[in-house]
Amino acid sequence: MARRPLPRILSSGTASLARGRDFARTAADSATDVLHPLLVIGRGLRILAAAGRRKWTATPKDKRGPALFLGAACVLVVALLPYGPLAALLSLMAAAAWQGRDRTPVKTGPSDAETERLGSLYEALVPYFSVPEDPSPLFTHGGDWDGAFGDYAFDEAGRVTRLRIRYPAYFPDGEAASRARVEALLHAKSGRGREYRFDWDEEGNQLDLRVLAPLPTGIAAQPFVTSPGETVLGFTDPAVVRRTLPVVEGDDPRDEPPVVWRTGPRSTEPHLLAVGQPGSGTSTLLRSIALQALRQGGDVLIVEGGGSGEYSCLSGRAGVLAVECGPGGALSTVEWAAHETERRLIATHRAHEAGRPAPEDTRRPLWILLDRPSVLGHLAAAEGRPDPLAQLQVPLRHGRAAHVTVVVAEQFDHLELLHDAVWQHTRARVVLGPASVQQITDALGLPPHTTPPAQPPPGRGYARLGTGPVHRLQVPATPDPYEDGTHPGHRQAVLELLPERQAAGPGGGEDRVTLSKALRVQPPAQAPGPSIDASEIPEVPAEAP
C-alpha cells in the first residue's frame, strides 16, 4: 500500500518550530549583549547588598545606634555638597560594576596533574627520539618537555586529547616499523579504549596526535543521495572527506561524510574484496550493496557459502536473478555470469564496429556478490566438482567494460584459498571487525593512520579504494530482517528498501532463477535482462575435476 504524504500543517510544523527556536535564541543573544552592562551592575549591587547585610549582622547591638547615626550624617553631608548625590551614584555604580565583573579564572597552562602526564610522556619518548651522538638532544632524561611538546589539550579526566610532538631530524620517520613503535607507546601512555589518529609531518619533523570521536552506529540502510554508479560503503571522519550526504539517524536528520565507491566502465576500482571475522559485518555490507544496486536498476546474483540464509530476504525479489547456497547451483551461477560477460563484450564490440551505441541490455549493471566462497570451493572439491571461484576470472578481468561488478566477502582464516585473480582485480578493499595492524596492512596494502578499537561494533573497520588513503569505516546497519533480535527500526528500514516480489519463472522456484541452461536464461519479467545467443558465445572447455 502506498504511503500517503503528511498534511502540510504537519510536514511544515517541524521547520516552523525550528525557525521559531532559532529566532528566539537570536533575540535572546542580542538582548543579552545589549543589557550586559546592566546585568553586571545588577550582579554587583546584589554582591554589595549581601556584603552590607553580613557586615550589619556581625555588628554588635550596642554599636548599631552609633553606626546608624554616622551613616545618616554621611548621607546628609553628601546631599548638601554640590553634585554630591550624582557623585555618590556614580561611585556606587562603579563599585557595583567592579564587584559584578566576570571573575572566571583564565587557564594559562596545564595543571599539576597534566604537567605530570606530559612529563611521563616525554620521559617515555626519550629512548626513541635520542641518540648518544647528539650534542644537544631534544629528548633527554630529566629534560624539559616545553621544547618538544606543543598544542596540547586534555579532557575532563585529565587525559591527552591533542598533542603536537617535535622530534629530531635523524629519527627514521620513513620506516613503518619505527613509526609503529612510537604510535604503540603513545597509545599505551595516553590511555587505552580510545581511537587515536597519528599524522606524521616528515618535512617539518612533527607528529600530531589527536583522539577521534566514535563513528555513528545508528545510521540504518536508507535511500542515499548518490549518482548512478556510486555505492555508499559507509561513513567516516569529516576531516578526510570533502563530501557529505543527508542521512537520518533515528528521527534526527543530519549530514555525514561517506565513503563512496564508484563502479562502471570508467572506474579505477571495479571490484571489491571485504575481509573480516565472523560477526564483523561483512554480510551486512553485502546486503547494503545489494539494496543500493537494486535501487539503481541493476541485476544481482548472490552466492552464499555459509548456508545460513542471511540473504533469504532477497530471494524472489525483482532484479535478483539468483540466490544460491550449494556448490552445484553456485557453479552454474558463476558459469552463467562468465558467459554473460563474454556475450556483453561481443555485443558491444560488434555495435562499435557497426558505428552504433552498445545495446541497452549490455549496459544494465550486473552485480555478482559472493559471501564466503571458499566454503563452496571446499564442498565442490569434496564432491568432485570444479571450484566456482575458477570461473570468476572472466568477470574479474573484463567486468569493467561489460558493466559487471564482483564483490567477494571472506574471513581471515580462509584468505589463502582465494584465487590470485581475486587478489589482483579487487583493488577496492574493506576490513571489518577486530583485526591487528598487520592483518589490516596485509589486506589493504597500507597501515591505518589510527589505532584499531579493541572492541569494534558490527560493521566497523577500514576501507581503501585503489591507491587512496585508508579511511575509518562504519557500514550502515543493514541486518537480516527475518532474524530474531534485530532492531525494529533497522528491520523496518531494510523492509522498506526491498523490491517487490516477482512471479516464479517457468522451470524455476520462487527463490531463484534456474541456471541449468546457462546460455538460455530467461530473466524475470519485472527485472528484464539481456537475452543470450549461444551462437555468439565461444565454447568454454570444461575443467577436469
Side-chain angles (χ1 to χ4, degrees):
M1 180 180 295
R3 299 177 60 185
R4 297 181 179 179
L6 293 174
R8 183 177 180 83
I9 187 174
L10 295 179
S11 61
S12 61
T14 304
S16 300
L17 291 175
R19 288 195 298 268
R21 286 194 297 267
D22 294 341
F23 178 76
R25 189 180 298 109
T26 304
D29 295 340
S30 302
T32 303
D33 294 339
V34 173
L35 301 177
H36 180 70
L38 297 180
L39 295 176
V40 173
I41 293 175
R43 184 166 57 248
L45 290 175
R46 186 171 63 253
I47 294 174
L48 292 176
R53 190 181 302 108
R54 289 193 301 269
K55 185 69 175 178
W56 177 258
T57 303
T59 303
K61 293 184 178 180
D62 56 343
K63 296 183 179 180
R64 291 182 179 180
L68 284 175
F69 178 77
L70 179 61
C74 292
V75 171
L76 180 61
V77 171
V78 171
L80 294 177
L81 290 175
Y83 304 104
L86 180 60
L89 180 61
L90 293 178
S91 301
L92 179 61
M93 294 297 102
W98 177 258
Q99 292 294 332
R101 72 188 188 280
D102 188 9
R103 300 184 180 184
T104 303
V106 178
K107 185 177 179 180
T108 57
S111 61
D112 296 339
E114 295 171 352
T115 302
E116 183 179 357
R117 184 176 289 272
L118 291 175
S120 64
L121 281 175
Y122 177 85
E123 291 291 335
L125 290 172
V126 169
Y128 298 91
F129 290 147
S130 64
V131 293
E133 297 81 7
D134 191 351
S136 57
L138 183 62
F139 286 82
T140 58
H141 290 291
D144 189 7
W145 54 264
D146 287 339
F149 294 162
D151 192 19
Y152 48 80
F154 298 85
D155 58 8
E156 294 79 3
R159 297 190 299 176
V160 176
T161 59
R162 188 179 67 254
L163 179 64
R164 175 168 293 177
I165 303 173
R166 294 178 55 246
Y167 56 86
Y170 53 76
F171 175 74
D173 50 8
E175 300 178 1
S178 302
R179 292 188 299 183
R181 288 194 294 268
V182 174
E183 292 175 2
L185 173 67
L186 293 174
H187 182 202
K189 294 295 183 180
S190 301
R192 299 186 182 274
R194 302 182 298 176
E195 292 188 69
Y196 296 88
R197 180 177 178 86
F198 301 96
D199 293 323
W200 292 84
D201 182 7
E202 300 178 4
E203 184 178 0
N205 299 322
Q206 291 183 349
L207 169 61
D208 288 336
L209 175 149
R210 57 189 176 93
V211 177
L212 298 176
L215 296 178
T217 58
I219 301 178
Q222 52 193 280
F224 298 115
V225 183
T226 56
S227 301
E230 293 184 343
T231 303
V232 177
L233 299 179
F235 298 92
T236 185
D237 301 306
V240 297
V241 177
R242 299 180 181 179
R243 177 179 177 181
T244 59
L245 289 180
V247 297
V248 177
E249 183 177 3
D251 296 331
D252 182 22
R254 57 182 180 180
D255 293 340
E256 290 291 339
V259 178
V260 178
W261 173 40
R262 294 174 176 84
T263 58
R266 300 187 180 275
S267 173
T268 57
E269 303 87 22
H271 309 296
L272 175 73
L273 173 62
V275 186
Q277 301 288 356
S280 59
T282 53
S283 300
T284 297
L285 175 62
L286 261 63
R287 275 191 296 267
S288 176
I289 293 175
L291 292 177
Q292 296 182 59
L294 293 173
R295 181 175 177 81
Q296 295 182 3
D299 293 332
V300 177
L301 287 172
I302 300 176
V303 177
E304 180 186 1
S308 58
E310 296 188 9
Y311 303 93
S312 58
C313 60
L314 296 171
S315 298
R317 302 286 180 174
V320 180
L321 301 183
V323 178
E324 294 291 348
C325 301
L331 180 60
S332 300
T333 301
V334 178
E335 286 181 352
W336 178 87
H339 292 315
E340 172 65 10
T341 304
E342 295 175 350
R343 186 199 68 82
R344 292 187 176 201
L345 290 175
I346 294 174
T348 303
H349 179 67
R350 291 181 177 178
H352 290 170
E353 285 184 342
R356 301 191 306 269
E360 183 66 26
D361 57 356
T362 63
R363 290 180 290 173
R364 184 181 180 89
L366 175 62
W367 292 75
I368 306 173
L369 310 181
L370 300 98
D371 191 358
R372 299 186 62 189
S374 61
V375 177
L376 294 176
H378 180 75
L379 295 177
E383 297 179 2
R385 298 173 180 268
D387 188 357
L389 282 177
Q391 300 294 329
L392 279 180
Q393 296 187 12
V394 175
L396 287 172
R397 292 179 179 178
H398 308 288
R400 177 170 57 182
H403 294 269
V404 178
T405 303
V406 179
V407 180
V408 180
E410 191 52 83
Q411 297 181 4
F412 280 107
D413 299 337
H414 302 90
L415 289 180
E416 67 277 1
L417 301 178
L418 295 180
H419 285 231
D420 294 338
V422 176
W423 288 104
Q424 182 179 359
H425 296 283
T426 55
R427 289 188 292 267
R429 305 282 178 83
V430 173
V431 176
L432 299 179
S436 63
V437 176
Q438 186 60 42
Q439 288 178 321
I440 298 173
T441 304
D442 293 341
L444 302 182
L446 281 180
H449 295 285
T450 63
T451 55
Q455 296 179 350
R460 175 69 172 80
Y462 296 90
R464 187 188 183 201
L465 304 179
T467 58
V470 179
H471 299 298
R472 289 202 306 166
L473 180 71
Q474 179 62 51
V475 178
T478 316
D480 182 7
Y482 300 155
E483 182 181 358
D484 297 336
T486 303
H487 189 278
H490 298 168
R491 175 190 290 113
Q492 185 62 30
V494 174
L495 291 176
E496 291 179 356
L497 292 177
L498 288 175
E500 296 183 357
R501 290 193 177 275
Q502 59 188 3
E510 183 183 0
D511 59 342
R512 66 182 60 184
V513 176
T514 302
L515 296 180
S516 58
K517 298 180 180 180
L519 302 182
R520 295 288 185 181
V521 175
Q522 297 296 332
Q526 296 185 12
S531 59
I532 303 176
D533 188 1
S535 61
E536 299 180 358
I537 305 299
E539 184 177 356
V540 179
E543 297 185 4

